[in-house]
Amino acid sequence: MFRFPQRGYCFCIGDVIIMVRVELKEATKYYGERRGVEDINLSINDGEYLAVLGPTGSGKTTTMYLIAGLLSPSKGSILFDDEDISNVPAEDRSVGFVFEEYNLFPRMTVESNILFGPTVKDLNLIESRKISRELLALLNISGKEPNYPDEISGGQKQRVALARAIVSDARILVMDDPLRALDAKIREILQVELRKLVKDLGITCIHATHDTQEAMRVADRIAVFKDGMIVQIGTPEEVYNHPNSLYVAEFLGEGSTIEGKIDDIKEEKYLVLQDGSRINVETDLQKDEEAIALIPGELIDVYPISMKKKLNYHNIFEAVLLDVRCVGEFNELDLEIFGSRFKAKDLIGKEIPLKKKSKVLVATDKDDYRIFPKKEGKMINKKKSDRIINSNTQVGIDGSSVKKVKKK
Amino acid sequence: MSEIRFQHVTKIFGKSVEAVKDLSFIINDGEYISLIGPSGCGKTTTLRLLAGTILPTEGEILFDDQPMQNVRIQDRNIGFVFQHFAIFPHMTVSENIAYGPTVRGRSKREIEPLVEKALKSVQMSNKANLYPDSLSAPDWQKTALARVLASEARILLLDEPLGALDQKIREEFQLFLRDLVKREKLTAIHVTHDQAEALTISDRVAVLNKGRLIQLGTPSDLIYNPNHLFASFFVGESDFLEGVIIDDSAENAEVRIGQSLIKVNNMGVEKGKRVAVAVRREFFQVEPITTKGLTNSLPGEVIEDKFLGLLRRIRIKLENQQIIEAKIHAKHPVQFKENEKVIINIDPSVTRCFDFPKEGIVSALEM
């Protein structure tokens, strides 16, 4: 395989940027009988930040290892810029890998840790040291070069691990839940820093996480995994607003679910609940089909009971407000509607003149509900599913229809 | 009754490591308190002092006005739940729960109803005869909670009890835990590094940093009225605008930020002083440059408009090159473009004004 000379970074004006398109074609990995991943088709564009999202055991780490070359696929292939590298060893793939554990050498200083790769690869050390300094400055840890790992904090260690992964020729950055071991606050800060770094350097990045918010914060696109397969892939907005299954909807957005039967009167569709309540919804499901509706908390609007005549919504129900909690950027409201517990979210900043245990009005529009047939859990909403198909073809295997953005 | 009182409690490890310093506060009977702060802030030390596994170097801890200095751990009427599920793998769920009362010498007839009640309370009655290895992580934690209930402890100490659970399960478990504590009328002290968890679950939250209590207040106190730079940094997300006080005479003080003047909450900071104006990211109002009628605003340029589900995060560069992040509702009608000029309007009443730390914001907060 062609080896790139040590590359310049995009913040070094005049140098060429080398970015890589990563493709997985029907990549499958079995550990003996057990499935790691199956039939993964994925195309990650040059300079794109992709988040791989799923619960523990959904195949995230396997996918990361396949791309980095720490595992080889049982079937299928992995391509970098159309070249099959399935059998190229990890050290020749120019992939920088960041693990959940920092894996720094405890007896080496920060700088020697970072320069370890360039040293064993026999790269120009003067140049590498310069890049290392620039990376540390970008990561807000300038001046820590002479320190040892046990003298710096967890967040700083992971920043060093990141610099080390990038400094030696990495064209692709693969990160397996890199922030999991860190405190929530430092995680928030590093999410923003990570995205900024990847975008500034223009490298291709794949980041596995089980945290939906993290995936949304860092990534251009999100691939949602379940049981070793990709169930949906798209921009954060697509997967969040137009989930293609109940699984994706529940994993991405905190919401409440209700079950019922579809009924129609004239053009309008209704979800009829067991107690006879009717909710106006938008769906392509037919009359009498059993359905599950999910409504994200932030789409539920709550008003005092006196407002009844002033509201203009498709659905207005009376509910009991069980609890109001201020949880940071929004208030969480526990409501009892139709005998079950619903959670609404309201951005703070607004006054809520509502009292606990009081009766309130819950207002929703018909397109706020995501309706899935009870059996399959698949999205049946024509307009929305069309959009999903479009987004899938846009990012399809050949990657050709994808608009390429290269930085100067 | 189980009111807990800390009086000037200091704990020094070895010769000079001050793990907690001069802690004074009261936890009311039946209250759910969380301790939050970065690693090394003293939250676990505080919990251990309560439990009695370590004793204060100075000061006193009282339970219902009774000094605890000479009271043994087993006599303090407390129960523990840790991040790592300390349950016996060779015992079934109900045997695990019965362990406490058994070693205390209770008779079998007394223990049975206790275990049954505890199992019911944590919704594990149908799993009573299973062994831990066939249970999921949340069920282990429920077993640990049931064991505390069966031992009839009145004070529940929780050290990162949800730390090992996945995000999604954590969120559900938080509500379960709060309900349980309130239903059983326990006094709970919960250590976590996750501020969202603390705000969701507690009646009041204590923010600690470097062994000191920074602020103890209700979740909405901490969000709306943080009384310290660190509290406003650690709870929620804020940006700190650097400026100089120009006028401190009115109810709202006037601050110069870059070329602009804005009004901020007058918190008694003197004229001429360098200040850090803390604004929660969700309180920035971002509008297109053409918007009229915004009276307290700063100009800026959009770097990125990123969708986050419930919210969108707009990164904006201000005139003085400082980069801030505004969080706006995902349904905000305007989609901002890269390099677009915008106005950031700030309601003076939501700002907090603190002395600018000498060493700079980044090192003062050790980000």
Side-chain angles (χ1 to χ4, degrees), chain A residues 288-305:
Chain A
D288 291 335
E289 275 189 82
E290 298 215 30
I292 296 180
L294 181 134
I295 178 150
E298 63 272 18
L299 298 180
I300 299 179
D301 294 332
V302 181
Y303 296 95
I305 208 108

Side-chain angles (χ1 to χ4, degrees), chain A residues 136-144 153 155-156 159 185-186 189-190 193 196, chain B residues 38 209-210 229-230 233-234 238-242 274-276 281 321-323 355-367:
Chain A
L136 291 180
L138 272 178
L139 289 162
N140 288 330
I141 46 166
S142 291
K144 297 285 180 199
S153 71
Q156 290 170 337
R159 286 173 169 120
K185 191 74 212 177
I186 200 76
I189 294 171
L190 268 180
E193 273 181 27
K196 187 170 165 286
Chain B
N209 191 30
K210 296 182 182 161
L229 187 73
F230 184 81
F233 160 73
F234 199 80
S238 292
D239 273 305
F240 301 94
L241 307 171
E242 189 185 335
R274 216 167 141 218
V275 290
R281 289 175 170 165
Q321 304 301 307
Q322 188 182 348
I323 292 171
D355 280 333
F356 198 85
K358 286 185 207 98
E359 63 273 37
I361 297 271
V362 173
S363 11
L365 299 173
E366 287 180 352
M367 287 187 206

